[in-house]
Amino acid sequence: YGRTGIHIVGDSNHTLIFGNTITGNDIGIYAEGGPNEMGYYYNTDTQIHWNNIYDNQYGVWYDVIGLAPFIDATWNYWGADNGPYNDTWTDPVTGHPANGDGDYISEYIHFDPWTNVSVEQCNYYEMKAGSYEFNLTEEMQTKVTVTTTGDTWITITNYTGNPRGEVQEGFAPLFFVDISVGDESVIQWPINITIFYTQADLDNAGITEEQLQGIAFWNESSKMWQYYNDTGVNRNNINI
């Protein structure tokens, strides 16, 4: 297959590929899909998220024929803010055409939503039942506290800019951080997220402390940023 960044062999079910920069390859990520003596086999529950995949001849290639389960490759940066390219493929979940200017992808790839900008850092942690505090104040000025009743994983990711959509009037963003979990059913909600900031951060963003209102999230359904119900700003301790 020429130079390949990551090669997923056949029947490698439940493969997770998070937080990589994959560039300068013939194929960025190659996933086998058969056949063997039992017929075609598939890579079920393969998840490819929060990666920078760009300047490859093919970004992700799923070598399979037939009605295969798609590979979930959402929330990746493909080298362009309008996503990846394949003039004959539309996203199997959202129906969005792969008409971007980023890396070429094969069929059977669930790519929408993608990120408009590159991932700066993605931290992945596996969790068992219990309470956890992930202190990333040095890396991304963020601290996350979560309690889970079973096995799952969590990722804490930051971006070089706004990863999705337009920021509406009235919002004053400082940082863009993404918190995701594997199995939401074992999470004891809410997850507590604290983001720390300095006067220099405010100056760089061109905003004042009074403009800060709390933590917002991107609502993929409404295509808008909106604030969480239980959020605010502690101006005494300079955190959100």
Side-chain angles (χ1 to χ4, degrees):
Y1 314 110
R3 179 183 173 89
T4 301
I6 297 176
H7 186 152
I8 308 173
V9 299
D11 281 346
S12 299
N13 298 331
H14 313 296
T15 300
L16 306 179
I17 301 176
F18 297 163
N20 302 278
T21 294
I22 304 165
T23 186
N25 302 284
D26 295 313
I27 302 176
I29 300 175
Y30 178 84
E32 293 184 16
N36 62 13
E37 66 276 5
M38 302 297 293
Y40 281 90
Y41 53 85
Y42 307 112
N43 280 293
T44 59
D45 196 33
T46 296
Q47 297 189 58
I48 302 170
H49 306 302
W50 307 293
N51 301 284
N52 299 316
I53 306 171
Y54 63 92
D55 289 345
N56 305 283
Q57 184 176 358
Y58 301 100
V60 177
W61 189 269
Y62 189 16
D63 193 4
V64 70
I65 299 173
L67 298 176
F70 58 76
I71 285 179
D72 187 350
T74 52
W75 297 107
N76 294 292
Y77 177 65
W78 299 96
D81 62 4
N82 56 359
Y85 174 75
N86 181 331
D87 60 357
T88 64
W89 182 244
T90 58
D91 189 277
V93 176
T94 68
H96 195 291
N99 57 358
D101 297 312
D103 272 16
Y104 190 94
I105 60 172
S106 73
E107 297 182 348
Y108 302 106
I109 303 298
H110 173 28
F111 63 89
D112 179 31
W114 60 87
T115 68
N116 299 335
V117 297
S118 59
V119 172
E120 187 168 343
Q121 183 177 352
C122 176
N123 298 274
Y124 168 85
Y125 306 98
E126 294 183 348
M127 301 184 293
K128 297 184 179 298
S131 295
Y132 297 82
E133 180 181 274
F134 302 102
N135 190 339
L136 297 173
T137 52
E138 292 291 329
E139 298 90 338
M140 56 182 69
Q141 296 171 249
T142 301
K143 183 167 65 176
V144 177
T145 304
V146 59
T147 299
T148 176
T149 60
D151 295 354
T152 189
W153 52 259
I154 187 171
T155 55
I156 306 170
T157 305
N158 65 344
Y159 300 93
T160 56
N162 177 10
R164 194 68 178 163
E166 298 292 333
V167 176
Q168 308 95 266
E169 185 177 353
F171 283 74
L174 269 180
F175 311 111
F176 292 92
V177 178
D178 183 292
I179 314 296
S180 295
V181 295
D183 185 355
E184 294 184 2
S185 68
V186 301
I187 300 297
Q188 290 189 350
W189 299 94
I191 293 176
N192 183 272
I193 305 167
T194 305
I195 299 176
F196 299 87
Y197 62 92
T198 66
Q199 184 61 50
D201 295 323
L202 296 169
D203 294 340
N204 290 336
I207 61 177
T208 65
E209 192 172 39
E210 288 68 30
Q211 290 177 270
L212 296 178
Q213 298 184 47
I215 297 177
F217 67 97
W218 174 254
N219 188 322
E220 187 65 27
S221 298
S222 64
K223 306 296 183 184
M224 295 179 64
W225 290 94
Q226 64 185 74
Y227 287 107
Y228 284 103
N229 293 328
D230 186 14
T231 188
V233 181
N234 184 337
R235 292 184 173 86
N236 293 324
N237 293 328
I238 57 172
N239 61 61
I240 305 173

